[in-house]
Amino acid sequence: QVQLVESGGGLVQAGDSLRLSCAASGSIFSTTVMGWFRQAPGKEREFVARIRWSGDNRYYADSVKGRFTASRDNARNTVYLQMNSLKPEDTAVYFCAVGSYIGSSRPEMYDYWGQGTQVTVSS
């Protein structure tokens, strides 16, 4: 079983940057992808980015391409989401997740979830 803890959210102004962290405990040996999702009030969970635990493969939602960058530190069992040029529409609770299905952007394909961290972007 894997436990995920997100951190790094906060209140920022449009154009600012934040770096989210997702610290994983427990073995992630059997996982193939770490995903970032977000959910705004009254909205469904939305895919943001995913990164494989091994290799350089990354994939981003069109809405964040060129602004967000996913990375990882395998030694620390931590993944990051660097968010630049933030927009008010980026406001949401951001979740990290562990999945076993390579290439999946669907929330139901991910097995473990963190508690989320709030990101609020004011205009």
Side-chain angles (χ1 to χ4, degrees), residues 20-75:
L20 305 184
S21 298
C22 174
S25 61
S27 177
I28 55 174
F29 174 78
S30 62
T31 65
T32 60
V33 63
M34 303 287 289
W36 285 100
F37 294 80
R38 64 188 182 187
Q39 187 167 20
K43 304 294 184 179
E44 296 182 345
R45 282 174 294 176
E46 177 187 21
F47 170 77
V48 176
R50 63 174 181 261
I51 180 172
R52 295 181 182 179
W53 195 246
S54 180
D56 298 323
N57 295 61
R58 303 175 184 88
Y59 187 78
Y60 302 93
D62 289 341
S63 59
V64 306
K65 283 182 179 178
R67 299 189 297 121
F68 291 11
T69 303
S71 61
R72 65 180 187 271
D73 185 337
N74 295 70

Side-chain angles (χ1 to χ4, degrees), residues 1 13-14 20 41 56 58 60 67 79 100 117 121:
Q1 188 169 341
Q13 295 183 0
L20 305 184
D56 298 323
R58 303 175 184 88
Y60 302 93
R67 299 189 297 121
V79 296
S100 300
T117 185
V121 185

